[in-house]
DNA sequence: CTGAAAGCGCTAACAA
DNA sequence: TTGTTAGCGCTTTCAG
C-alpha cells in the first residue's frame, strides 16, 4: 500500500496526494476530498521511512534514561511529553540500566534513526558517546544534573548543592550522629554527587557519616526497612540520631520500620529522603525530602529541543539550573537541645 | 556522513562497505579492517532510514500501553526488553493515557514507521485501530487481557476470572459486608472486568457490594487512605468487614490508614488489592493480592513477536492465558465464626 | 571476494 | 492548482 495506490485510486498525481496528506501547499477542496476518501478507503498509512529519507526530516526526539522502574524517570517523561505534544515531535525512549556501554549502544541505535534532538540523562558518558553527541549536529540536552560540563545544553539541579543543603539543615537542627543509606550503584553519579556534597558539609562541621548501608535490587520499600533495622541495631550502644536516605522509597521503608518499632520520629531519630515522590503523601508522617524537579526538567528540556528545531541557529549551549526546594515534613525538626 | 564517505576514505566500493558494516557475505579480512578503520575515524553512524527503505526491514517493535506511571507497565516492559534483547528487535513505546482516540493516533504514528510487530495493551480498540491492526500484515499481540476476541495473538490473564476468584476467597473466608474502592476510569476495561467478575460471584452468593469509592489523579497511596476513611465513616452503623481495592497502591493506603487508626486487620476488616506489586513487600502487613503476571506477559508477548518475525507463516492467532495466583497475606483470613 | 545498476516510497524543486 | 523529474542513502540483485 503506497502513495501510488492512492494516486491511482483517486486519479490524482502522487505529488498532489502527498500534498493533501501533509496539508502542504494549495490543493482544491475537490481533489482534497477525493484523495482523502481514497486514502481512507484503502486504509493507507504513510510510510515515514520513505518520507524521512526524502525530506531528511525526522520528527523523533531520542530520550535516553537509566531506568524506567524507579518512579523518577516516568515523571521526567511526563514533562517531556507534555511539551512535545504541542509540537510535531515525538519522544522515543531508550533505557540504559545505568550502564555506560549500554548507553553508548542505545545512543548509537537512536542516532542511526537521525532524530531531531536528543535528551539524555546525566553528564557522564563514554568518550565514544560524547563524540557521537558532539558530532550529531542536532540539539542535545543533558538532563537531571548540572554538576559538570555539558556537550551542548543542560537542564537539571546541582546534586552536590542538594546534598550540601540537606546536610546543613540536618546539622542546624541539632542532629550529630548521622547514618547514610543508599544504593550500591557506583554509576549513579547523581546519588554520588549528593553524597559528596553531604559529607563535605558534614566535614566542615567536624562531622562524619557514622555508619552506612547500601542495597541493590528488590523492593526498595522492603530494603529501606531492612537496612534501617540493620544500621540501628549495629549502633545500639551509641545510637544514631539521623538517617539520610538516597531516595524517598527506602526512606519510606525506614519510616515505616521506625513507626512499627515505636521509635520516636523525629525526636529519637530524624529521617530524610530525596526526590519528593508523590507516593510519600500517603505515609503516616510527612517525610523530609527535597524536590528533584523532575517534571520541570522534562518540560524545560523538551522546550529547548522544540525551540532549536524551529530555529536551528539559536540557543546552543543553554544551561538551566533549577533549585530544589527542601521539605522538612514531620521527620526533620529542630531538636530541643542541640549538642 | 554517508556510506559513500566511508567508501571514498577506504577506497572500497559502497557495496563492500555496506557488507562489512552489516557482517554480511564474505569480505577479506584486509578490506574489512580497512573499512572498519575508516568508519570509526569518520565517526560514521549508519542511516537506518535509508537502510530500512532499501531492505524493507525495520527491527522495531511497537509497544502501545495506557500509562507509564503506575508501576505495572514498566514491569511489562521489563519482560519485553528481556526477550527482545536476545534478538535484533527493539521496542518503541507509545503511551495512550487510556484514551481510545489517543491509542488510534499513536498506533497510526507507529505503523507509519513500518515496525516488525505490535504489542498493544487490551482487546478494546476503536474500529479504525482494529482495522489498522488487521491490515498491517505484521504480528500483533494484544496483552494483559484475554476476555474477548483478539485481532491476532494475545497474552494475558482473564480479569473476570481474577475478580471471581478473589470474590470466592473473600466469601469463603466469611466476609459479608464488602466495599469496593477503585478508579474513576470507565475506559480501564481490565479493572471493569475484574469488578464484573467480582460482583457476579457476590450475586450468586446473594450478596452485593455494600458501598464503593472512586478516585482519579493524585497520589494513589494518599487516595487509598482518604477513600478508606470515607467509606468506613459512611458505614459506621453497619460496618463493612471487607474492602476490595482495584490496585495494590490504594490498598496499601487503606492498610496504612487502618493501622494508624488501630483497626484490627483482618479481624475487624479484611483487605485485598490487585497486581502483586513489589512495593507491598515493605508494608507493615502482607497485603492480600493477586499476581497480574506482568513480567511473564511481557516475555511471552515478545517471544511471540520474535518467533513470528523469524518465521512469518507460522503461529498466527496464538492465545496464551496465564493464571494469576492469589496471595492471602495477612489481610484476608478465614474468620472464626462466619455468619 | 568485489562491484555496478536499479530501486525502496516518498518529497524538494521546478515547470506548467 | 497540479504535474514532472530527480534524488534521499542504503540494499538487492546480478555480474564479474
Amino acid at each position: 500500500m503506497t502513495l501510488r495506490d492512492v494516486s491511482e485510486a483517486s486519479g490524482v498525481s502522487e505529488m498532489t496526494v502527498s500534498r493533501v496528506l501533509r496539508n502542504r501547499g494549495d490543493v482544491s477542496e475537490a481533489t482534497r476530498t477525493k484523495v482523502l476518501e481514497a486514502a481512507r478507503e484503502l486504509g493507507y498509512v504513510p510510510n515515514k521511512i520513505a518520507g524521512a529519507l526524502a525530506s531528511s526530516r525526522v520528527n523523533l526526539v531520542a530520550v535516553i534514561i537509566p531506568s524506567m522502574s524507579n518512579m523518577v524517570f516516568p515523571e521526567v517523561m511526563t514533562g517531556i511529553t507534555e511539551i512535545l505534544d504541542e509540537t510535531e515531535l515525538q519522544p522515543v525512549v531508550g533505557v540504559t540500566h545505568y550502564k555506560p556501554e549500554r548507553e553508548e549502544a542505545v545512543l548509537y541505535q537512536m542516532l542511526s534513526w537521525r532524530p531531531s534532538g536528543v535528551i539524555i540523562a546525566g553528564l557522564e558518558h563514554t568518550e565514544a558517546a560524547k563524540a557521537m553527541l558532539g558530532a550529531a549536529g542536532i540539539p542535545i540536552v543533558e538532563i537531571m544534573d548540572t554538576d559538570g560540563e555539558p556537550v551542548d545544553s543542560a537542564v537539571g539541579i546541582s546534586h552536590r548543592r542538594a546534598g550540601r543543603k540537606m546536610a546543613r539543615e540536618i546539622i542546624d537542627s541539632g542532629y550529630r550522629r548521622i547514618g547514610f543509606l543508599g544504593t550500591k550503584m557506583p554509576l549513579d553519579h547523581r546519588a554520588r554527587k549528593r553524597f559528596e556534597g553531604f559529607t563535605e558539609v558534614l566535614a566542615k562541621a567536624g562531622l562524619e557519616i557514622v555508619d552506612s548501608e547500601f542495597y541493590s535490587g528488590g523492593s526498595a520499600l522492603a530494603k529501606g526497612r531492612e537496612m534501617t533495622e540493620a544500621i540501628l541495631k549495629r549502633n545500639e550502644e551509641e545510637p544514631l540520631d539521623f538517617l539520610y536516605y538516597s531516595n524517598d522509597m527506602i526512606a519510606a521503608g525506614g519510616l515505616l520500620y521506625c513507626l512499627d518499632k515505636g521509635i520516636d520520629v523525629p525526636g529519637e531519630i530524624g529521617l530524610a529522603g530525596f526526590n519528593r515522590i508523590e507516593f510519600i503523601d500517603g505515609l503516616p508522617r510527612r517525610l523530609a525530602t527535597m524536590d528533584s524537579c523532575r517534571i520541570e526538567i522534562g518540560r524545560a528540556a523538551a522546550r529547548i529541543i522544540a525551540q532549536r528545531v524551529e530555529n536551528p541557529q539559536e540557543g546552543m549551549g543553554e544551561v538551566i539550573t533549577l533549585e530544589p526546594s527542601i521539605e522538612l515534613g514531620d521527620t526533620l525538626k529542630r531538636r530541643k537541645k542541640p549538642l
Side-chain angles (χ1 to χ4, degrees), chain A:
Chain A
M1 177 63 41
T2 70
L3 251 197
R4 162 167 246 137
D5 298 311
V6 181
S7 163
E8 281 169 6
S10 62
V12 175
S13 79
E14 285 187 44
M15 197 54 231
T16 302
V17 171
S18 169
R19 286 193 184 99
V20 171
L21 265 20
R22 287 177 299 145
N23 296 307
R24 274 281 206 312
D26 291 322
V27 180
S28 75
E29 200 47 43
T31 46
R32 190 185 162 63
T33 338
K34 220 172 5 177
V35 169
L36 253 22
E37 183 78 356
R40 206 182 43 68
E41 295 235 321
L42 293 171
Y44 173 68
V45 177
N47 185 330
K48 283 213 180 172
I49 297 178
L53 183 59
S55 65
S56 46
R57 252 195 295 280
V58 181
N59 63 342
L60 261 24
V61 176
V63 179
I64 300 176
I65 56 182
S67 162
M68 208 67 238
S69 48
N70 65 6
M71 222 124 219
V72 4
F73 295 102
E75 282 192 53
V76 176
M77 285 308 305
T78 303
I80 293 175
T81 312
E82 195 180 293
I83 300 300
L84 294 189
D85 275 353
E86 300 164 4
T87 73
E88 298 282 70
L89 298 168
Q90 271 192 14
V92 182
V93 184
V95 174
T96 68
H97 304 291
Y98 287 99
K99 294 182 194 143
E101 69 283 5
R102 191 89 193 109
E103 181 184 80
E104 189 181 312
V106 168
L107 178 62
Y108 187 79
Q109 292 298 324
M110 303 213 117
L111 287 181
S112 73
W113 287 100
R114 301 292 188 267
S116 294
V118 175
I119 296 176
I120 185 167
L123 294 164
E124 286 76 19
H125 316 289
T126 65
E127 281 307 312
K130 279 189 203 162
M132 282 190 263
L133 290 170
I138 53 176
I140 311 292
V141 185
E142 291 168 277
I143 57 170
M144 313 302 286
D145 188 5
T146 56
D147 292 323
E149 259 332 294
V151 173
D152 175 0
S153 297
V155 181
I157 63 172
S158 162
H159 286 263
R160 252 192 208 103
R161 196 168 145 62
R164 286 197 214 107
K165 199 167 174 174
M166 186 56 92
R168 260 180 238 118
E169 197 64 46
I170 292 169
I171 294 172
D172 290 353
S173 298
Y175 297 99
R176 290 296 175 272
R177 292 188 49 80
I178 302 164
F180 178 82
L181 302 94
T183 50
K184 265 192 206 105
M185 288 230 233
L187 295 171
D188 184 345
H189 298 285
R190 293 176 286 289
R192 193 202 72 220
K193 289 171 185 175
R194 284 200 300 282
F195 183 74
E196 286 169 3
F198 190 78
T199 52
E200 180 193 317
V201 166
L202 255 51
K204 279 190 189 145
L207 295 173
E208 278 191 338
I209 295 283
V210 175
D211 196 359
S212 52
E213 273 283 324
F214 299 91
Y215 80 105
S216 67
S219 159
L221 195 70
K223 292 292 179 181
R225 246 175 212 285
E226 292 165 20
M227 290 197 293
T228 304
E229 172 161 33
I231 202 169
L232 291 183
K233 290 232 165 117
R234 212 167 38 230
N235 295 273
E236 271 174 344
E237 301 102 59
E238 280 193 89
L240 300 174
D241 61 10
F242 201 92
L243 299 176
Y244 180 44
Y245 296 84
S246 75
N247 70 62
D248 284 343
M249 206 47 141
I250 53 174
L255 173 62
L256 291 178
Y257 173 81
C258 290
L259 296 180
D260 270 10
K261 295 295 171 192
I263 298 170
D264 171 20
V265 177
E268 201 173 332
I269 193 158
L271 306 174
F274 180 78
N275 266 335
R276 180 63 185 94
I277 58 175
E278 190 181 56
F279 167 85
I280 64 173
D281 289 330
L283 294 175
R285 292 264 205 302
R286 279 158 48 229
L287 189 67
T289 187
M290 198 173 260
D291 187 2
S292 56
C293 310
R294 302 179 297 287
I295 297 208
E296 193 45 40
I297 287 174
R299 286 199 196 110
R303 270 190 222 109
I304 290 180
I305 298 285
Q307 280 166 15
R308 299 266 302 272
V309 167
E310 284 282 303
N311 209 325
Q313 52 275 16
E314 276 178 40
M316 279 259 324
E318 182 179 4
V319 174
I320 300 178
T321 304
L322 269 26
E323 183 60 30
S325 60
I326 201 164
E327 212 167 277
L328 300 181
D330 304 318
T331 67
L332 166 42
K333 287 215 166 130
R334 188 162 295 272
R335 319 198 86 184
K336 298 284 155 54
K337 20 178 179 174
L339 307 179

